[in-house]
Structure formats: structure tokens, C-alpha cells
Amino acid sequence: YKLLWKAYSWNVDHDCHTVEKLNHHMKTGTWKKLVLDSEKHYHDEIRKAANLLLKRKDVRVMINAGPSSSGKTTTTLKLGEALSAAGISFVTLNLDHYFKNLDQHPKDEYGDHDYETPHALELEMIDDHLASLIKGKTIKMPAFDFKTGKRKDNVTEFKLEKGQIVLIDSLHGLYADMTKSLAPEQKFKFYIEAMCQMKDAEGNFVRWADLRLLRRMVRDSWQRNYDPVSTVGHWHYVRKAEKTYIVPFIHSVDYVFNGSLPYELSAHKIFLDHHFAPIIKKYQ
């Protein structure tokens, strides 16, 4: 609640705590200052998180987790820049290569392969490789071929240089079995959520999940040539997984980061407004 109040107070101070207020910024041209203020606040929070990690001298693994489209990738890059400026180097362990073969993949109630569950990954192998890395050993990473749905083990040699930190950028980084061999002091758990503290005309707060859905619709259409209508149709899989395997762990982390930007609803409207009529027609 402290974090929510902090986010809402910032919005109040910058006159963007309601959709009506945000619309006023757009109409009067003051949105430019709002964008600059929002970006500065975002980077200030990045520096705070980096400074907290720097105080933890025993950390060997940084876990960046959070629900879909919360801002993990962008925030990880920015956090990496802040840490690099302080002389800290980290390398990413790409967990996509640890997927089980497709014929071993868990399936949902409709018989579809479920990529959203942590059990689609070889959790024991990930845990073993992390434990080996922080002991200074060389591991041989697997390689997963998404075209064939098969994984080949012992493909790429990987070792940490002195002083390097392993970064896990994953939806399921907080799932205990993934890092069970590591001591708590060796892990820095960073959680990101798009905590959009803004009210609509009826006084209801904009739902964080709805904001993330808008983000995912834009991302899927730009980067994956995926129709936004289809993104909405798949969203129930995403929500089911994150409510089971991601959101419940928010209380176990070292730092919670707000990845929302107060002005972004206006940007999403430009790209998504014309998609809503067919979406409502199909799913309402």
C-alpha cells in the first residue's frame, strides 16, 4: 500500500491522477513536460534499485521477474546501464534454451501446449547450472530450437568472469525450484509491475492488467506480426499463469519497481484505438 500511495501521490502532484486530467494535458500541450517528468522519475527509481543491489556484497544472481508486459526487458537494460556505470558486470542466462522438448511440454485444459507455466522449463537443470556457475565452474548450456520444438543439451560453454553477476530475466524467476540451491543472500529479487494509479470517470482505478494487455497488443503487432485481436484471445492463458506462478511471490522480493508511465495510455490509443471495435465484437 505504501508503494501504491507513493505512485498515486506522484500522479496527483503532476496533475495526471485521472483520465480527465491526462486528457487535459493532451489538449493543452503540457503533455511534453509530463513525459519529461515521468522519464526522470523512472530513471531516478532505477538508480535507487541499483544502489540497493550494490550494498549487497554477496549477491551472485539477480532475478528480474514480473507479469507479462510489465516492463522487464527495458528496465533490465536500464538497470544494467546503472550497474555498469558503478563497475558491476552481469551476464544473462537465457532460459528459453531450457524449455523441455515439445512432446514433454505440459498441456492446458484445452490440450494446447502451455508455455506460460514454469514446468515447461527444466527447472532442475537451471538450478544445477546456476549453482555451478557461482562456484566458478564452466557449464554447457542447452539450445532449444523453436522450429522443431526440441532441445539439444551440452551445446554452449558458459562461465562467469570474476565479479560478474548472473541475471535471470524471466516470468518465473521467483519460482522457488529454479534457484533452490542458492542461499538467500546470493540472490537479489527484483519485481516489476505496471502500477498505474489513475482513476477513470467513475472513480475506478485503471486495472494494471489492462494496461499490460495494451502493451502486449502493441508489442505483439510490432515485433511478432501478431494480430491484437489474437493477443486478447490468448490473454486468459497469460493471466491464469501469472496469478498462479508470479503475482503471489511479490511479498518475497527485495525490491518492487513501478514500471508504469503516467502518459502511456495516450500513446497506446494512437496505435490501438481502431482495433477495439472488432475485439469487442468477437469477445463481448
Side-chain angles (χ1 to χ4, degrees):
Y1 288 105
K2 181 180 179 181
L3 292 171
L4 300 183
W5 180 249
K6 179 180 177 182
Y8 184 64
S9 295
W10 192 96
N11 288 358
V12 170
D13 291 342
H14 293 79
D15 214 24
C16 60
H17 55 291
T18 67
V19 173
E20 180 184 6
K21 296 285 187 181
L22 180 60
N23 287 338
H24 183 71
H25 280 291
M26 298 301 128
K27 292 174 182 177
T28 60
T30 54
W31 60 269
K32 296 177 182 179
K33 185 176 186 306
L34 178 62
V35 170
L36 292 174
D37 289 344
S38 299
E39 296 287 340
K40 180 181 182 303
H41 180 65
Y42 173 87
H43 286 93
D44 286 344
E45 292 298 306
I46 288 286
R47 284 189 286 273
K48 288 180 183 178
N51 288 335
L52 182 60
L53 189 148
L54 291 170
K55 293 178 181 178
R56 296 269 305 275
K57 303 301 182 182
D58 294 328
V59 171
R60 300 303 310 281
V61 176
M62 178 180 172
I63 299 169
N64 187 4
S68 176
S69 300
S70 54
K72 290 187 298 300
T73 301
T74 300
T75 302
T76 297
L77 290 172
K78 296 297 182 181
L79 193 57
E81 292 172 0
L83 291 172
S84 295
I88 300 296
S89 171
F90 64 77
V91 290
T92 302
L93 187 68
N94 187 349
L95 299 190
D96 283 352
H97 289 305
Y98 289 85
F99 273 119
K100 296 177 180 177
N101 290 336
L102 199 59
D103 58 6
Q104 298 176 310
H105 245 60
K107 294 185 178 182
D108 61 23
E109 62 267 35
Y110 304 105
D112 295 327
H113 292 104
D114 188 358
Y115 283 94
E116 305 293 342
T117 170
H119 301 292
L121 296 163
E122 289 286 4
L123 298 172
E124 188 173 342
M125 183 186 294
I126 295 171
D127 181 55
D128 179 65
H129 280 187
L130 286 170
S132 295
L133 284 171
I134 65 175
K135 291 176 182 177
K137 298 180 180 180
T138 299
I139 65 169
K140 289 188 176 180
M141 290 180 58
F144 187 84
D145 188 334
F146 281 92
K147 292 182 179 180
T148 64
K150 293 186 178 297
R151 188 188 74 241
K152 185 176 181 181
D153 293 337
N154 302 316
V155 175
T156 306
E157 287 195 351
F158 187 67
K159 184 180 180 179
L160 290 182
E161 300 297 331
K162 185 177 180 179
Q164 280 187 324
I165 294 175
V166 182
L167 171 66
I168 297 176
D169 180 9
S170 171
L171 284 171
H172 303 299
L174 300 176
Y175 193 68
D177 286 353
M178 188 179 289
T179 59
K180 62 183 179 182
S181 296
L182 278 61
E185 61 271 17
Q186 294 177 316
K187 297 181 281 188
F188 184 87
K189 295 181 285 187
F190 182 93
Y191 187 97
I192 182 168
E193 173 61 273
M195 295 185 284
C196 179
Q197 291 300 93
M198 185 178 296
K199 294 182 179 181
D200 63 18
E202 286 74 42
N204 301 309
F205 282 104
V206 175
R207 296 177 72 245
W208 307 344
D210 289 347
L211 176 60
R212 291 191 287 101
L213 174 57
L214 295 176
R215 289 180 173 185
R216 182 150 173 160
M217 291 164 69
V218 173
R219 184 196 70 185
D220 285 354
S221 62
W222 283 15
Q223 299 180 5
R224 303 180 181 181
N225 196 28
Y226 202 57
D227 184 358
V229 179
S230 300
T231 299
V232 174
H234 182 77
W235 188 243
H236 69 282
Y237 291 113
V238 177
R239 289 291 290 149
K240 179 182 178 181
E242 65 190 26
K243 286 190 287 186
T244 304
Y245 300 113
I246 304 171
V247 176
F249 300 107
I250 190 171
H251 299 293
S252 68
V253 302
D254 298 293
Y255 197 89
V256 179
F257 187 89
N258 181 10
S260 72
L261 295 167
Y263 61 83
E264 67 178 283
L265 286 174
S266 303
H268 293 319
K269 180 179 180 180
I270 296 173
F271 300 106
L272 295 174
D273 193 41
H274 62 286
H275 288 289
F276 281 104
I279 288 172
I280 292 172
K281 182 179 180 180
K282 183 171 183 178
Y283 295 113
Q284 191 173 40

